[in-house]
Amino acid sequence: MAEIFTPQVVNLIVRGGLMIFVLLTTFAYLTYTERRILSFFQWRLGPNRVGPQGLLQPLADGVKTALKQEMVPRKADKVLYFLAPTLTLSASFTTFALIPVGEQVALSSVPVAILFFLGLSSMAAYGLILAGWSSQSKYPFLGSLRTCAQVISYELALGLCLLVPIMITGSLNINDFGMMYRSENWNWAYLVVLAPAAILFLISSLAETGRTPFDLPECEAEIVAGYHTEYSSMKYAMFPMGEYIAMVAMSAMVVHMLLGGYHMNLGFVDLTYWAGTWTAGPPEAWGWGAYGDAISLTGKGFSTTMTFIVKLFLLIFTFMWIRATFPRLRYDQLMRFGWKWLLPATLVLIFATAILTAIIGPVQAPAVDSAAQAAMEVTLNARH
Amino acid sequence: MLGTEKAIPLLKGLGITMREFLGAFGGKTTVTISYPEQKRQVADRFRGLHRLERYEAGPYKGLEKCIGCALCAAACPAEVITVVAGENTAEERYSPGERYAVVYDMDMLRCIFCGMCTEACPTEAIVMKHDYELADDSRREPNKFMYHKEDLLDREYYW
């Protein structure tokens, strides 16, 4: 027993638990934020009664959902029925083990993170499909079929969009995407392909996470609530939870692809390091420990994480903005857009990227900082 | 080209929603009325809770307008109003005419706020004001939802 719980493993468990706690809180407050922001888009006030400015609303919602009666359809395939929400949620949570949220602030540094990321987002979709199927009910079944077709169509474009930064950096590590902007041989001409790639990625991630213009899986008017019609109480709550966290993960990917990850270098001033200097003095005085900075709320880990969170929120706000603007697509429109426009567009982009990299040459992302390396070593050691 | 003619209206739409968002976020009044704190201004002819009036000027100043004729009770389609009339005397004068309302009860659980009572009233004694917060917590207890003459006569009203 003593050999299993080595300091590294304990470290990982604590950090993983911290990550899950942070993600759950994020989910709770994202629901609140989304409701408030959508209401401002519609000239309403939104939930503002529970606590100051309604800030305790997620708590009330959580208690209410947890106390709801749990209903399981008699004919449901019990194993799959219980597995489905767990699958969606755990897949979404696991994505965040791959995404660095700040310099030296990452749960792991996986060399093939992108493949893992794509695999996990497909797994989340399996959860939705299984949910509809195992309910043994007509509407959820229709909803899950829609989800199935939609996710397969848009996953192609999603993966192909990620090929653009992969081709530029020659790396499958998410950390390198953000770091490529700090590379010595970075060329701003790459933005010509990176910006459209990130936008197309954003569009396909809307479909992948079932957000508004593409929220056909849970189209209320036609198929009640889609795949989760037969779910109630916390099992129901796990679906939106998974979806929101997937949305955060997708936004995080866009931040790494286009917005320069967790750094804020405007050319003339590096805002991240400026903030770090402001909170912790000159860079020489900063701690460089793997997690110490993030917890001590000063220095590099903190300032980069904060930069990342600000950028992340901008992206999430865009998701909400899109939700407030566009009506849901018809099913044939969804399919036509995915196959006849999005997929060819990404293929053209990849072609353009190939030409660009041939002309300019690939970007060598700066070496991952020592702590990300350390995090990776922890991951590797944990296996032994 | 490449669907730009379709993309531009989408971007315009995003612009419109953002403009409205910034307006609402920047403190432009929202359509929501925070109800218990703010109240909606009702129309002038809104039919709310009734009130029995008195003469406020003239020779009959201070006297009740109601003469106990019970035309309101007769006009009422929901049988809300009960009027029991009594004779005015020289010593005890309540209204200008011969008779006045000794009992004037309204069962507001029955009232449909049609305003026929005010239409029927020959002296404009019963009028409808703008109060609409008439909820209460019991049907059985007397005086909850049952408005008597002393509740309706000269009662305070908001606007």
Side-chain angles (χ1 to χ4, degrees), chain B residues 100-145:
Chain B
Y100 74 102
V102 182
V103 174
Y104 196 102
D105 287 350
M106 296 189 78
D107 182 0
M108 294 312 284
L109 280 173
R110 301 183 65 103
C111 184
I112 58 171
F113 297 93
C114 63
M116 297 308 278
C117 46
T118 61
E119 297 276 331
C121 187
T123 58
E124 293 186 7
I126 183 124
V127 293
M128 293 176 101
K129 293 293 182 187
H130 292 169
D131 309 67
Y132 49 81
E133 290 162 329
L134 309 177
D136 218 326
D137 56 9
S138 170
R139 297 176 180 217
R140 296 220 168 76
E141 287 174 51
N143 301 329
K144 286 190 172 171
F145 295 111

Side-chain angles (χ1 to χ4, degrees), chain A residues 40-41 43 49 321 325 341, chain B residues 2 14 17 20 24 30-31 37:
Chain A
F40 285 131
F41 271 113
W43 291 8
R49 292 285 152 164
W321 182 14
T325 308
W341 196 88
Chain B
L2 285 175
L14 281 173
T17 46
E20 302 304 337
T30 51
V31 290
E37 293 90 27

Side-chain angles (χ1 to χ4, degrees), chain A residues 83-100:
Chain A
L83 182 67
T86 324
L87 201 61
T88 313
L89 189 61
S90 53
S92 303
F93 274 143
T94 317
T95 352
F96 257 89
L98 305 167
I99 297 169

Side-chain angles (χ1 to χ4, degrees), chain A residues 350-378:
Chain A
I350 287 167
F351 194 62
T353 316
I355 294 171
L356 259 183
T357 39
I359 296 168
I360 306 172
V363 176
Q364 182 65 49
V368 182
D369 266 12
S370 50
Q373 209 72 45
M376 185 168 82
E377 276 155 25
V378 169

Side-chain angles (χ1 to χ4, degrees), chain A residues 153-360:
Chain A
S153 311
Y154 280 80
E155 210 158 65
L156 282 172
L158 193 84
L160 288 176
C161 285
L162 283 175
L163 257 184
V164 172
I166 290 172
M167 285 167 84
I168 293 172
T169 56
S171 163
L172 283 168
N173 194 332
I174 299 173
N175 208 37
D176 288 350
F177 289 3
M179 292 302 271
M180 71 184 159
Y181 289 88
R182 304 174 68 77
S183 165
E184 283 168 6
N185 49 2
W186 164 250
N187 192 322
W188 288 102
Y190 277 125
L191 272 191
V192 175
V193 286
L194 268 176
I199 290 165
L200 293 184
F201 180 86
L202 193 75
I203 293 172
S204 21
S205 66
L206 285 173
E208 183 81 5
T209 53
R211 296 271 315 168
T212 282
F214 309 110
D215 61 345
L216 280 98
E218 45 188 301
C219 176
E220 304 90 0
E222 295 158 28
I223 48 173
V224 194
Y227 55 86
H228 57 51
T229 308
E230 302 290 355
Y231 281 84
S232 55
S233 190
M234 278 320 273
K235 281 209 293 298
Y236 161 74
M238 282 161 89
F239 285 114
M241 222 182 265
E243 263 169 45
Y244 270 87
I245 291 166
M247 179 178 90
V248 178
M250 293 291 178
S251 308
M253 280 304 293
V254 179
V255 170
H256 277 291
M257 272 173 81
L258 182 68
L259 301 181
Y262 39 72
H263 284 287
M264 195 69 184
N265 195 348
L266 299 178
F268 58 96
V269 55
D270 192 330
L271 277 183
T272 311
Y273 281 103
W274 178 80
T277 313
W278 186 57
T279 50
E284 298 84 56
W286 300 357
W288 295 87
Y291 248 72
D293 294 328
I295 291 162
S296 71
L297 300 185
T298 52
K300 197 174 173 183
F302 179 69
S303 59
T304 49
T305 308
M306 281 298 131
T307 314
F308 190 78
I309 287 171
V310 169
K311 289 179 179 179
L312 195 61
F313 184 75
L314 282 178
L315 257 297
I316 291 169
F317 178 80
T318 312
F319 272 79
M320 295 172 182
W321 182 14
I322 288 169
R323 179 171 174 187
T325 308
F326 299 132
R328 181 185 298 132
L329 265 66
R330 218 176 338 124
Y331 196 68
D332 61 313
Q333 291 170 330
L334 175 94
M335 282 297 156
R336 198 186 311 141
F337 181 71
W339 288 101
K340 287 188 166 175
W341 196 88
L342 205 57
L343 194 60
T346 46
L347 289 173
V348 169
L349 261 182
I350 287 167
F351 194 62
T353 316
I355 294 171
L356 259 183
T357 39
I359 296 168
I360 306 172

